C-alpha cells in the first residue's frame, strides 16, 4: 500500500527567512515593526517598548483615531493592554493568540517589552 505524503503546500517553493534580517523595518517612537514576506504572505514581528501606546506613538503616523489594521497575533513576551472601539478590554500575555478587528488602541503594561508575531495586518502597520 502506498501512502501519498504530499501536502497541498508542497507545490510552493521552500523558503527560510529570519526576523534577524527582515525584508522591511518600520521604526516609530518606542517600537519597531519588522516585516518578512514568506510564501507570498507578509508576516510581522512587532517589538514595543515599555511606555508605548498606539494612540500616542503610532496614531500620528496612521492619521486615524484608532488602529484600523486588523491583527491576528501570537504574543511572545510582555503584556499588551487592548481596548476595542466597542469598549471590550483585554490583556494579552505570552502564549496568547488574538484576533483583533480594526478599531482599537493598545499599550504596553509594565516594564517588559512586548513582542508579537502578526500574520494579518502587519503589511499595513505604521504606514502613513
Amino acid at each position: 500500500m502506498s501512502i501519498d505524503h504530499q501536502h497541498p503546500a508542497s507545490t510552493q517553493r521552500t523558503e527560510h527567512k529570519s526576523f534577524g534580517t527582515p525584508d522591511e523595518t518600520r521604526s516609530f517612537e518606542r517600537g519597531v515593526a519588522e516585516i518578512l514576506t514568506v510564501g507570498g504572505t507578509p508576516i510581522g514581528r512587532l517589538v514595543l517598548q515599555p511606555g508605548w501606546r498606539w494612540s500616542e506613538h503610532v496614531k500620528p503616523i496612521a492619521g486615524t483615531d484608532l488602529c484600523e489594521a486588523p491583527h491576528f497575533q501570537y504574543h511572545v513576551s510582555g503584556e499588551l493592554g487592548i481596548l476595542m472601539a466597542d469598549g471590550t478590554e483585554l490583556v494579552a500575555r505570552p502564549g496568547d493568540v488574538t484576533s483583533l478587528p480594526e478599531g482599537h488602541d493598545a499599550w504596553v503594561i509594565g516594564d517588559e517589552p512586548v513582542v508579537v508575531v502578526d500574520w494579518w495586518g502587519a503589511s499595513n502597520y505604521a504606514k502613513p
Side-chain angles (χ1 to χ4, degrees):
M1 177 178 198
S2 174
I3 298 174
D4 184 1
H5 293 285
Q6 253 190 339
H7 184 273
S10 66
T11 58
Q12 298 175 354
R13 66 185 176 95
T14 301
E15 288 186 70
H16 178 215
K17 291 188 173 184
S18 170
F19 282 114
T21 54
D23 296 328
E24 181 181 356
T25 300
R26 297 182 198 139
S27 297
F28 43 91
E29 189 177 349
R30 297 189 188 213
V32 64
E34 300 159 325
I35 313 296
L36 296 176
T37 299
V38 179
T41 302
I43 301 166
R45 177 172 70 176
L46 305 178
V47 180
L48 310 169
Q49 298 301 321
W52 175 89
R53 187 173 184 118
W54 186 91
S55 56
E56 294 176 26
H57 301 108
V58 182
K59 179 179 179 174
I61 298 167
T64 57
D65 287 335
L66 296 171
C67 180
E68 297 299 330
H71 300 285
F72 183 66
Q73 298 175 325
Y74 172 72
H75 296 260
V76 178
S77 64
E79 291 190 353
L80 187 68
I82 300 163
L83 176 62
M84 302 303 299
D86 68 3
T88 301
E89 190 168 347
L90 60 111
V91 175
R93 295 179 174 88
D96 290 353
V97 175
T98 56
S99 176
L100 306 173
E102 61 278 338
H104 55 272
D105 192 9
W107 58 94
V108 173
I109 298 172
D111 296 330
E112 184 181 353
V114 165
V115 177
V116 299
V117 176
D118 192 345
W119 278 273
W120 186 26
S123 61
N124 294 321
Y125 196 80
K127 258 191 168 177

